[in-house]
Amino acid sequence: MIAMDENDISFFKDGLRLDGRRADELRPVKIEVGILARADGSCYIEMGGNKVIAAVYGPREVHPRHLQEVTRAIVRYRYNMASFSVEERKRPGPDRRSYELSKVSREALEPVILTSFFPRSVIDVFVEVLQADAGTRTAGINAAAVALADAGIPMKSMISSCAAGKVGDTIVLDPMKEEDNFGQADLPIAMTPNGDITLMQMDGNLTPDEFGQAVTMAMKGAKDIYELQRRALVAKYSQISTDSAREEVHLCE
Ligand code: ADP
């Protein structure tokens, strides 16, 4: 097999990216709230080729009990990639990458969760990647934040996540797989709607100037995603209140 690097591919054609996007354009995003009957909160998200489900359980009793914290709930986050989510079958089960992603994703969400409301309990977040196309950690965090809200977990704010990257010496928003794998840098962030950053990671190399551009671009992407998360939650809960209002009318008849 011939090893490929960024010099082997042209990332732009007629000023547009391989999938026809402008440099500062997100992939299409679709968010559905409350798709799992047995979870306390859930969300399905598509971000371009990524398809991810998040399920939230709790607050509930901690097992094993020695993990209990007397003053607050603990938050557990399990990121898992299905073996069929990538082109070559992925070996099932946890690995170094999934441990890292679970840790950073939990740390991205924990600062906004009001854990002190639920001492001695646990909030479990499960993220299942069904189809991966780069940016699965950001898609997972976006889905998990919506699922937490759907579960009624008190939060100071929503968390929204997006990456920027560098390909062909250009800073681009929301890199897809080819750009992520063969690009020069990848910088995922997560933040509150006020712009308080709870996750920032970086692969590759950026100059200080490019770093500033990438952070600004990723923050703009996260802000746009926040609006879509908000709309998805409003759509679900306004539908429920319309349905229950209809039921009430029905009962009165
Ligand atoms: P993220 O998905 O958050 O961008 P990475 O940068 O580690 O995380 O991965 C980029 C992409 O590389 C993934 O979204 C996926 O498409 C692909 N990938 C990651 N791990 C594997 C794997 N074990 N086998 C095949 N492809 C993988």
Side-chain angles (χ1 to χ4, degrees):
M1 199 172 106
I2 302 167
M4 288 182 77
D5 65 28
E6 66 263 24
N7 301 321
D8 294 326
I9 324 186
S10 166
F11 289 102
F12 294 93
K13 189 167 178 271
D14 304 327
L16 296 176
R17 292 153 75 179
L18 297 176
D19 58 2
R21 279 184 292 159
R22 296 187 313 271
D24 62 352
E25 205 175 330
L26 281 174
R27 290 174 285 183
V29 179
K30 179 180 152 190
I31 304 177
E32 274 180 57
V33 185
I35 39 113
L36 300 175
R38 278 185 278 284
D40 295 311
S42 57
C43 175
Y44 170 70
I45 192 164
E46 286 181 12
M47 291 179 70
N50 295 300
K51 297 186 177 187
V52 178
I53 285 181
V56 168
Y57 297 82
R60 62 184 178 180
E61 207 177 322
V62 188
H63 290 290
R65 290 181 82 116
H66 69 83
L67 294 177
Q68 274 186 1
E69 290 283 345
V70 285
T71 56
R72 61 175 181 89
I74 60 164
V75 179
R76 292 190 292 215
Y77 189 110
R78 195 194 71 172
Y79 167 101
N80 183 54
M81 224 177 187
S83 51
F84 53 80
S85 65
V86 286
E87 265 170 52
E88 301 256 329
R89 177 179 179 276
K90 182 202 163 279
R91 200 168 159 215
D95 51 24
R96 279 170 61 122
R97 179 175 171 275
S98 69
Y99 281 124
E100 178 210 321
L101 267 55
S102 298
K103 177 184 184 287
V104 297
S105 303
R106 173 176 54 75
E107 289 172 353
L109 293 165
E110 221 170 6
V112 299
I113 302 174
L114 296 169
T115 52
S116 60
F117 284 21
F118 309 105
R120 298 178 190 281
S121 60
V122 60
I123 297 162
D124 276 309
V125 183
F126 296 93
V127 165
E128 296 291 325
V129 177
L130 308 178
Q131 187 171 289
D133 190 44
T136 57
R137 87 193 63 196
T138 54
I141 292 168
N142 291 328
V146 171
L148 283 163
D150 183 40
I153 307 283
M155 291 153 81
K156 288 184 219 162
S157 73
M158 187 42 59
I159 290 287
S160 311
S161 183
C162 189
K166 180 181 170 188
V167 292
D169 292 327
T170 306
I171 303 298
V172 295
L173 186 62
D174 186 22
M176 57 172 171
K177 188 164 175 301
E178 291 74 8
E179 294 171 332
D180 184 305
N181 290 177
F182 305 114
Q184 295 151 295
D186 182 30
L187 188 145
I189 64 144
M191 67 175 209
T192 68
N194 287 340
D196 292 331
I197 291 189
T198 60
L199 165 94
M200 181 179 283
Q201 296 184 283
M202 193 176 112
D203 270 350
N205 295 308
L206 294 173
T207 65
D209 190 38
E210 287 168 342
F211 175 77
Q213 277 181 53
V215 171
T216 306
M217 197 181 263
M219 287 178 78
K220 165 81 174 57
K223 217 173 171 103
D224 291 345
I225 288 165
Y226 165 66
E227 191 48 42
L228 300 171
Q229 290 170 303
R230 199 185 65 77
R231 270 192 227 159
L233 283 162
V234 169
K236 179 183 171 195
Y237 285 97
S238 54
Q239 180 63 37
I240 285 175
S241 54
T242 316
D243 288 350
S244 54
R246 252 191 231 122
E247 264 168 39
E248 272 169 32
V249 171
H250 221 68
L251 287 172
C252 294
E253 280 170 0

